[in-house]
Amino acid sequence: MQKILVIGGSRYFGKHLVSLLRDAGDEVTVLNRGSAAPPPGIGRLVADRDDEGRLLAALGGRTFDTVVDQVCYTPLQAAVARRVFAGRTARYVMTSTMEVHDPAPPTPEARAYAEGKRGAEAVLGGAGAGEGGSPFAFTAVRTAHVLGGGPQEFTGRLAHYVGRIAAGTPVDVHEAPYATSFVHHHEIARFLQWTAGQPFTGAVDAASHGALDVLGLCALVAERVGRPARLRIVEPGAPASPFSFDRDYAIDNSRAEGLGYRFGRVADWLPGAVDEAAAALAL
């Protein structure tokens, strides 16, 4: 049994993660700003992670075997966490993103998000003048695009396709789109649970097998909703629908597999995820 703190963990795959850890026999505590109570059997601390003083007060003398940070977005947040959890935990797992490799689409918002995550990884991993090495074993889990769960999937990206194709509204795509990577919301929760108990450090990409381009995604959605997909080609450099990319945008899960984790296949879970999105839209 481990003592595990999950920072965030109040929505989407974070909720599933804390339940998996609890059900595996770990002693789990969630730290958030009080936005939502954790599932039964899980401890709770209320603090704003950006307020170092209140964070320290909320933690008191508690220590943990592992911290899983679901909501670290900036180097400043990472620096607070590094100071606060030095000496409190042996292992720190940060939920990062595939966008750190190459933000897409290259909007100012996407670039800022990617730079924030990249900088947070660097701080927690020990980079920076005068910082020395990391005070704990650090792993950054770079997640693929997370889908599934119907209304739980708060980004609305899969619903974008389901709603437009069902309504006969064109989907904006690149003329020759490239494939990208996906992972089911339950699978990324399982991977984070597994990672929490492993000794490896450094960055690791997390994605289901079977990269898919936007044309394949549209074809599957069209099959599930029973209407043909109408596609509208955008000019080079123009905005397109989510998951339509004008360059290769898949990640490689081989390190995770080499460490012993076995991912599922997009083709096995994506039809069900489309059906969940359609049900949430009452189609």
Side-chain angles (χ1 to χ4, degrees), residues 33-63:
R33 291 176 296 183
S35 55
I42 294 170
R44 184 186 191 189
L45 298 174
V46 177
D48 186 338
R49 66 165 307 143
D50 296 331
D51 188 326
E52 189 167 348
R54 291 189 178 182
L55 179 56
L56 283 166
L59 290 167
R62 294 175 179 84
T63 60

PDB file of all heavy atoms in Angstrom, residues 33-63:
ATOM      1  N   ARG A  33      -9.157  22.882  -4.695  1.00  0.00           N
ATOM      2  CA  ARG A  33      -9.644  24.127  -4.105  1.00  0.00           C
ATOM      3  C   ARG A  33     -11.028  23.989  -3.499  1.00  0.00           C
ATOM      4  O   ARG A  33     -11.662  24.978  -3.155  1.00  0.00           O
ATOM      5  CB  ARG A  33      -9.648  25.229  -5.168  1.00  0.00           C
ATOM      6  CG  ARG A  33      -8.249  25.647  -5.593  1.00  0.00           C
ATOM      7  CD  ARG A  33      -8.274  26.667  -6.708  1.00  0.00           C
ATOM      8  NE  ARG A  33      -8.856  26.109  -7.925  1.00  0.00           N
ATOM      9  CZ  ARG A  33      -8.960  26.767  -9.083  1.00  0.00           C
ATOM     10  NH1 ARG A  33      -8.534  28.018  -9.156  1.00  0.00           N
ATOM     11  NH2 ARG A  33      -9.480  26.199 -10.136  1.00  0.00           N
ATOM     12  N   GLY A  34     -11.502  22.779  -3.376  1.00  0.00           N
ATOM     13  CA  GLY A  34     -12.814  22.562  -2.779  1.00  0.00           C
ATOM     14  C   GLY A  34     -13.938  22.552  -3.773  1.00  0.00           C
ATOM     15  O   GLY A  34     -15.110  22.605  -3.398  1.00  0.00           O
ATOM     16  N   SER A  35     -13.593  22.456  -5.063  1.00  0.00           N
ATOM     17  CA  SER A  35     -14.622  22.512  -6.104  1.00  0.00           C
ATOM     18  C   SER A  35     -15.519  21.290  -6.099  1.00  0.00           C
ATOM     19  O   SER A  35     -16.690  21.373  -6.475  1.00  0.00           O
ATOM     20  CB  SER A  35     -13.962  22.660  -7.481  1.00  0.00           C
ATOM     21  OG  SER A  35     -13.028  21.608  -7.697  1.00  0.00           O
ATOM     22  N   ALA A  36     -14.996  20.145  -5.703  1.00  0.00           N
ATOM     23  CA  ALA A  36     -15.790  18.916  -5.710  1.00  0.00           C
ATOM     24  C   ALA A  36     -15.228  17.954  -4.681  1.00  0.00           C
ATOM     25  O   ALA A  36     -14.012  17.853  -4.514  1.00  0.00           O
ATOM     26  CB  ALA A  36     -15.767  18.271  -7.098  1.00  0.00           C
ATOM     27  N   ALA A  37     -16.123  17.253  -3.995  1.00  0.00           N
ATOM     28  CA  ALA A  37     -15.700  16.256  -3.017  1.00  0.00           C
ATOM     29  C   ALA A  37     -15.208  15.010  -3.740  1.00  0.00           C
ATOM     30  O   ALA A  37     -15.733  14.651  -4.801  1.00  0.00           O
ATOM     31  CB  ALA A  37     -16.850  15.904  -2.092  1.00  0.00           C
ATOM     32  N   PRO A  38     -14.205  14.328  -3.198  1.00  0.00           N
ATOM     33  CA  PRO A  38     -13.725  13.094  -3.824  1.00  0.00           C
ATOM     34  C   PRO A  38     -14.701  11.954  -3.596  1.00  0.00           C
ATOM     35  O   PRO A  38     -15.619  12.060  -2.763  1.00  0.00           O
ATOM     36  CB  PRO A  38     -12.402  12.847  -3.108  1.00  0.00           C
ATOM     37  CG  PRO A  38     -12.594  13.452  -1.758  1.00  0.00           C
ATOM     38  CD  PRO A  38     -13.447  14.669  -1.980  1.00  0.00           C
ATOM     39  N   PRO A  39     -14.529  10.838  -4.286  1.00  0.00           N
ATOM     40  CA  PRO A  39     -15.373   9.663  -4.042  1.00  0.00           C
ATOM     41  C   PRO A  39     -15.203   9.157  -2.606  1.00  0.00           C
ATOM     42  O   PRO A  39     -14.223   9.496  -1.930  1.00  0.00           O
ATOM     43  CB  PRO A  39     -14.852   8.644  -5.063  1.00  0.00           C
ATOM     44  CG  PRO A  39     -14.185   9.458  -6.118  1.00  0.00           C
ATOM     45  CD  PRO A  39     -13.601  10.636  -5.413  1.00  0.00           C
ATOM     46  N   PRO A  40     -16.140   8.340  -2.122  1.00  0.00           N
ATOM     47  CA  PRO A  40     -16.038   7.797  -0.764  1.00  0.00           C
ATOM     48  C   PRO A  40     -14.737   7.029  -0.554  1.00  0.00           C
ATOM     49  O   PRO A  40     -14.211   6.393  -1.473  1.00  0.00           O
ATOM     50  CB  PRO A  40     -17.250   6.861  -0.671  1.00  0.00           C
ATOM     51  CG  PRO A  40     -18.219   7.377  -1.682  1.00  0.00           C
ATOM     52  CD  PRO A  40     -17.389   7.914  -2.803  1.00  0.00           C
ATOM     53  N   GLY A  41     -14.205   7.119   0.643  1.00  0.00           N
ATOM     54  CA  GLY A  41     -13.005   6.381   0.983  1.00  0.00           C
ATOM     55  C   GLY A  41     -11.718   7.079   0.603  1.00  0.00           C
ATOM     56  O   GLY A  41     -10.637   6.490   0.715  1.00  0.00           O
ATOM     57  N   ILE A  42     -11.807   8.330   0.181  1.00  0.00           N
ATOM     58  CA  ILE A  42     -10.640   9.093  -0.248  1.00  0.00           C
ATOM     59  C   ILE A  42     -10.546  10.360   0.594  1.00  0.00           C
ATOM     60  O   ILE A  42     -11.542  11.084   0.755  1.00  0.00           O
ATOM     61  CB  ILE A  42     -10.717   9.425  -1.744  1.00  0.00           C
ATOM     62  CG1 ILE A  42     -10.614   8.134  -2.565  1.00  0.00           C
ATOM     63  CG2 ILE A  42      -9.638  10.416  -2.162  1.00  0.00           C
ATOM     64  CD1 ILE A  42     -10.916   8.293  -4.020  1.00  0.00           C
ATOM     65  N   GLY A  43      -9.365  10.629   1.141  1.00  0.00           N
ATOM     66  CA  GLY A  43      -9.172  11.815   1.950  1.00  0.00           C
ATOM     67  C   GLY A  43      -9.178  13.081   1.116  1.00  0.00           C
ATOM     68  O   GLY A  43      -9.058  13.046  -0.115  1.00  0.00           O
ATOM     69  N   ARG A  44      -9.304  14.219   1.806  1.00  0.00           N
ATOM     70  CA  ARG A  44      -9.412  15.482   1.082  1.00  0.00           C
ATOM     71  C   ARG A  44      -8.704  16.599   1.819  1.00  0.00           C
ATOM     72  O   ARG A  44      -8.857  16.755   3.033  1.00  0.00           O
ATOM     73  CB  ARG A  44     -10.881  15.854   0.902  1.00  0.00           C
ATOM     74  CG  ARG A  44     -11.124  17.109   0.075  1.00  0.00           C
ATOM     75  CD  ARG A  44     -12.586  17.457   0.090  1.00  0.00           C
ATOM     76  NE  ARG A  44     -12.941  18.481  -0.869  1.00  0.00           N
ATOM     77  CZ  ARG A  44     -14.133  19.072  -0.922  1.00  0.00           C
ATOM     78  NH1 ARG A  44     -15.074  18.712  -0.063  1.00  0.00           N
ATOM     79  NH2 ARG A  44     -14.380  20.001  -1.816  1.00  0.00           N
ATOM     80  N   LEU A  45      -7.924  17.368   1.081  1.00  0.00           N
ATOM     81  CA  LEU A  45      -7.323  18.596   1.574  1.00  0.00           C
ATOM     82  C   LEU A  45      -7.759  19.731   0.655  1.00  0.00           C
ATOM     83  O   LEU A  45      -7.795  19.558  -0.571  1.00  0.00           O
ATOM     84  CB  LEU A  45      -5.795  18.495   1.577  1.00  0.00           C
ATOM     85  CG  LEU A  45      -5.181  17.405   2.467  1.00  0.00           C
ATOM     86  CD1 LEU A  45      -3.669  17.344   2.239  1.00  0.00           C
ATOM     87  CD2 LEU A  45      -5.496  17.661   3.927  1.00  0.00           C
ATOM     88  N   VAL A  46      -8.069  20.872   1.227  1.00  0.00           N
ATOM     89  CA  VAL A  46      -8.534  22.010   0.444  1.00  0.00           C
ATOM     90  C   VAL A  46      -7.487  23.118   0.512  1.00  0.00           C
ATOM     91  O   VAL A  46      -7.144  23.598   1.603  1.00  0.00           O
ATOM     92  CB  VAL A  46      -9.893  22.531   0.950  1.00  0.00           C
ATOM     93  CG1 VAL A  46     -10.320  23.773   0.159  1.00  0.00           C
ATOM     94  CG2 VAL A  46     -10.949  21.442   0.823  1.00  0.00           C
ATOM     95  N   ALA A  47      -6.970  23.504  -0.634  1.00  0.00           N
ATOM     96  CA  ALA A  47      -5.994  24.586  -0.726  1.00  0.00           C
ATOM     97  C   ALA A  47      -5.853  24.986  -2.187  1.00  0.00           C
ATOM     98  O   ALA A  47      -6.121  24.192  -3.097  1.00  0.00           O
ATOM     99  CB  ALA A  47      -4.639  24.164  -0.164  1.00  0.00           C
ATOM    100  N   ASP A  48      -5.427  26.219  -2.418  1.00  0.00           N
ATOM    101  CA  ASP A  48      -5.067  26.689  -3.750  1.00  0.00           C
ATOM    102  C   ASP A  48      -3.588  26.402  -3.949  1.00  0.00           C
ATOM    103  O   ASP A  48      -2.751  26.921  -3.205  1.00  0.00           O
ATOM    104  CB  ASP A  48      -5.343  28.186  -3.867  1.00  0.00           C
ATOM    105  CG  ASP A  48      -5.120  28.729  -5.269  1.00  0.00           C
ATOM    106  OD1 ASP A  48      -4.369  28.089  -6.048  1.00  0.00           O
ATOM    107  OD2 ASP A  48      -5.677  29.784  -5.591  1.00  0.00           O
ATOM    108  N   ARG A  49      -3.248  25.607  -4.914  1.00  0.00           N
ATOM    109  CA  ARG A  49      -1.858  25.202  -5.118  1.00  0.00           C
ATOM    110  C   ARG A  49      -0.948  26.391  -5.405  1.00  0.00           C
ATOM    111  O   ARG A  49       0.274  26.307  -5.237  1.00  0.00           O
ATOM    112  CB  ARG A  49      -1.744  24.181  -6.233  1.00  0.00           C
ATOM    113  CG  ARG A  49      -2.121  24.735  -7.612  1.00  0.00           C
ATOM    114  CD  ARG A  49      -1.668  23.845  -8.737  1.00  0.00           C
ATOM    115  NE  ARG A  49      -0.261  23.551  -8.648  1.00  0.00           N
ATOM    116  CZ  ARG A  49       0.276  22.375  -8.969  1.00  0.00           C
ATOM    117  NH1 ARG A  49      -0.489  21.404  -9.416  1.00  0.00           N
ATOM    118  NH2 ARG A  49       1.576  22.168  -8.864  1.00  0.00           N
ATOM    119  N   ASP A  50      -1.518  27.507  -5.869  1.00  0.00           N
ATOM    120  CA  ASP A  50      -0.712  28.683  -6.168  1.00  0.00           C
ATOM    121  C   ASP A  50      -0.363  29.487  -4.919  1.00  0.00           C
ATOM    122  O   ASP A  50       0.502  30.367  -4.981  1.00  0.00           O
ATOM    123  CB  ASP A  50      -1.456  29.593  -7.153  1.00  0.00           C
ATOM    124  CG  ASP A  50      -1.677  28.935  -8.502  1.00  0.00           C
ATOM    125  OD1 ASP A  50      -0.852  28.085  -8.887  1.00  0.00           O
ATOM    126  OD2 ASP A  50      -2.678  29.256  -9.166  1.00  0.00           O
ATOM    127  N   ASP A  51      -1.040  29.228  -3.820  1.00  0.00           N
ATOM    128  CA  ASP A  51      -0.796  29.931  -2.562  1.00  0.00           C
ATOM    129  C   ASP A  51       0.102  29.061  -1.691  1.00  0.00           C
ATOM    130  O   ASP A  51      -0.371  28.156  -0.993  1.00  0.00           O
ATOM    131  CB  ASP A  51      -2.134  30.216  -1.870  1.00  0.00           C
ATOM    132  CG  ASP A  51      -1.991  31.111  -0.653  1.00  0.00           C
ATOM    133  OD1 ASP A  51      -0.959  31.007   0.036  1.00  0.00           O
ATOM    134  OD2 ASP A  51      -2.922  31.896  -0.376  1.00  0.00           O
ATOM    135  N   GLU A  52       1.393  29.322  -1.724  1.00  0.00           N
ATOM    136  CA  GLU A  52       2.350  28.443  -1.071  1.00  0.00           C
ATOM    137  C   GLU A  52       2.113  28.334   0.430  1.00  0.00           C
ATOM    138  O   GLU A  52       2.204  27.239   1.003  1.00  0.00           O
ATOM    139  CB  GLU A  52       3.765  28.921  -1.350  1.00  0.00           C
ATOM    140  CG  GLU A  52       4.836  27.958  -0.896  1.00  0.00           C
ATOM    141  CD  GLU A  52       6.200  28.292  -1.456  1.00  0.00           C
ATOM    142  OE1 GLU A  52       6.281  29.137  -2.385  1.00  0.00           O
ATOM    143  OE2 GLU A  52       7.191  27.701  -0.981  1.00  0.00           O
ATOM    144  N   GLY A  53       1.801  29.450   1.068  1.00  0.00           N
ATOM    145  CA  GLY A  53       1.578  29.426   2.504  1.00  0.00           C
ATOM    146  C   GLY A  53       0.391  28.568   2.894  1.00  0.00           C
ATOM    147  O   GLY A  53       0.478  27.745   3.826  1.00  0.00           O
ATOM    148  N   ARG A  54      -0.713  28.738   2.204  1.00  0.00           N
ATOM    149  CA  ARG A  54      -1.908  27.946   2.521  1.00  0.00           C
ATOM    150  C   ARG A  54      -1.732  26.482   2.136  1.00  0.00           C
ATOM    151  O   ARG A  54      -2.281  25.601   2.791  1.00  0.00           O
ATOM    152  CB  ARG A  54      -3.133  28.555   1.826  1.00  0.00           C
ATOM    153  CG  ARG A  54      -3.522  29.901   2.404  1.00  0.00           C
ATOM    154  CD  ARG A  54      -4.851  30.394   1.877  1.00  0.00           C
ATOM    155  NE  ARG A  54      -5.218  31.660   2.497  1.00  0.00           N
ATOM    156  CZ  ARG A  54      -6.345  32.315   2.258  1.00  0.00           C
ATOM    157  NH1 ARG A  54      -7.220  31.823   1.366  1.00  0.00           N
ATOM    158  NH2 ARG A  54      -6.606  33.454   2.859  1.00  0.00           N
ATOM    159  N   LEU A  55      -0.971  26.246   1.093  1.00  0.00           N
ATOM    160  CA  LEU A  55      -0.689  24.868   0.706  1.00  0.00           C
ATOM    161  C   LEU A  55       0.108  24.172   1.805  1.00  0.00           C
ATOM    162  O   LEU A  55      -0.210  23.044   2.211  1.00  0.00           O
ATOM    163  CB  LEU A  55       0.064  24.840  -0.618  1.00  0.00           C
ATOM    164  CG  LEU A  55       0.457  23.470  -1.179  1.00  0.00           C
ATOM    165  CD1 LEU A  55      -0.755  22.565  -1.341  1.00  0.00           C
ATOM    166  CD2 LEU A  55       1.186  23.627  -2.512  1.00  0.00           C
ATOM    167  N   LEU A  56       1.115  24.839   2.316  1.00  0.00           N
ATOM    168  CA  LEU A  56       1.902  24.280   3.412  1.00  0.00           C
ATOM    169  C   LEU A  56       1.044  24.041   4.644  1.00  0.00           C
ATOM    170  O   LEU A  56       1.163  23.013   5.322  1.00  0.00           O
ATOM    171  CB  LEU A  56       3.064  25.217   3.753  1.00  0.00           C
ATOM    172  CG  LEU A  56       4.254  25.193   2.793  1.00  0.00           C
ATOM    173  CD1 LEU A  56       5.157  26.389   3.040  1.00  0.00           C
ATOM    174  CD2 LEU A  56       5.032  23.892   2.933  1.00  0.00           C
ATOM    175  N   ALA A  57       0.160  24.987   4.929  1.00  0.00           N
ATOM    176  CA  ALA A  57      -0.709  24.846   6.099  1.00  0.00           C
ATOM    177  C   ALA A  57      -1.652  23.663   5.938  1.00  0.00           C
ATOM    178  O   ALA A  57      -1.902  22.914   6.897  1.00  0.00           O
ATOM    179  CB  ALA A  57      -1.493  26.135   6.318  1.00  0.00           C
ATOM    180  N   ALA A  58      -2.187  23.481   4.741  1.00  0.00           N
ATOM    181  CA  ALA A  58      -3.117  22.370   4.504  1.00  0.00           C
ATOM    182  C   ALA A  58      -2.413  21.025   4.634  1.00  0.00           C
ATOM    183  O   ALA A  58      -2.976  20.057   5.163  1.00  0.00           O
ATOM    184  CB  ALA A  58      -3.751  22.506   3.126  1.00  0.00           C
ATOM    185  N   LEU A  59      -1.181  20.961   4.186  1.00  0.00           N
ATOM    186  CA  LEU A  59      -0.441  19.700   4.236  1.00  0.00           C
ATOM    187  C   LEU A  59       0.018  19.367   5.651  1.00  0.00           C
ATOM    188  O   LEU A  59       0.114  18.193   6.016  1.00  0.00           O
ATOM    189  CB  LEU A  59       0.769  19.773   3.299  1.00  0.00           C
ATOM    190  CG  LEU A  59       0.452  19.772   1.807  1.00  0.00           C
ATOM    191  CD1 LEU A  59       1.682  20.169   1.010  1.00  0.00           C
ATOM    192  CD2 LEU A  59      -0.060  18.413   1.363  1.00  0.00           C
ATOM    193  N   GLY A  60       0.305  20.389   6.429  1.00  0.00           N
ATOM    194  CA  GLY A  60       0.789  20.129   7.781  1.00  0.00           C
ATOM    195  C   GLY A  60       2.047  19.278   7.746  1.00  0.00           C
ATOM    196  O   GLY A  60       2.975  19.539   6.994  1.00  0.00           O
ATOM    197  N   GLY A  61       2.078  18.246   8.560  1.00  0.00           N
ATOM    198  CA  GLY A  61       3.241  17.364   8.603  1.00  0.00           C
ATOM    199  C   GLY A  61       3.109  16.133   7.738  1.00  0.00           C
ATOM    200  O   GLY A  61       3.912  15.190   7.880  1.00  0.00           O
ATOM    201  N   ARG A  62       2.136  16.102   6.835  1.00  0.00           N
ATOM    202  CA  ARG A  62       1.895  14.907   6.032  1.00  0.00           C
ATOM    203  C   ARG A  62       3.024  14.647   5.037  1.00  0.00           C
ATOM    204  O   ARG A  62       3.583  15.575   4.444  1.00  0.00           O
ATOM    205  CB  ARG A  62       0.582  15.035   5.266  1.00  0.00           C
ATOM    206  CG  ARG A  62      -0.668  15.070   6.144  1.00  0.00           C
ATOM    207  CD  ARG A  62      -1.896  15.313   5.273  1.00  0.00           C
ATOM    208  NE  ARG A  62      -3.125  15.331   6.052  1.00  0.00           N
ATOM    209  CZ  ARG A  62      -3.581  16.405   6.700  1.00  0.00           C
ATOM    210  NH1 ARG A  62      -2.897  17.552   6.648  1.00  0.00           N
ATOM    211  NH2 ARG A  62      -4.702  16.351   7.386  1.00  0.00           N
ATOM    212  N   THR A  63       3.316  13.382   4.847  1.00  0.00           N
ATOM    213  CA  THR A  63       4.247  12.943   3.812  1.00  0.00           C
ATOM    214  C   THR A  63       3.560  11.879   2.964  1.00  0.00           C
ATOM    215  O   THR A  63       2.570  11.270   3.386  1.00  0.00           O
ATOM    216  CB  THR A  63       5.544  12.370   4.411  1.00  0.00           C
ATOM    217  OG1 THR A  63       5.222  11.236   5.233  1.00  0.00           O
ATOM    218  CG2 THR A  63       6.271  13.423   5.231  1.00  0.00           C
TER     219      THR A  63
END
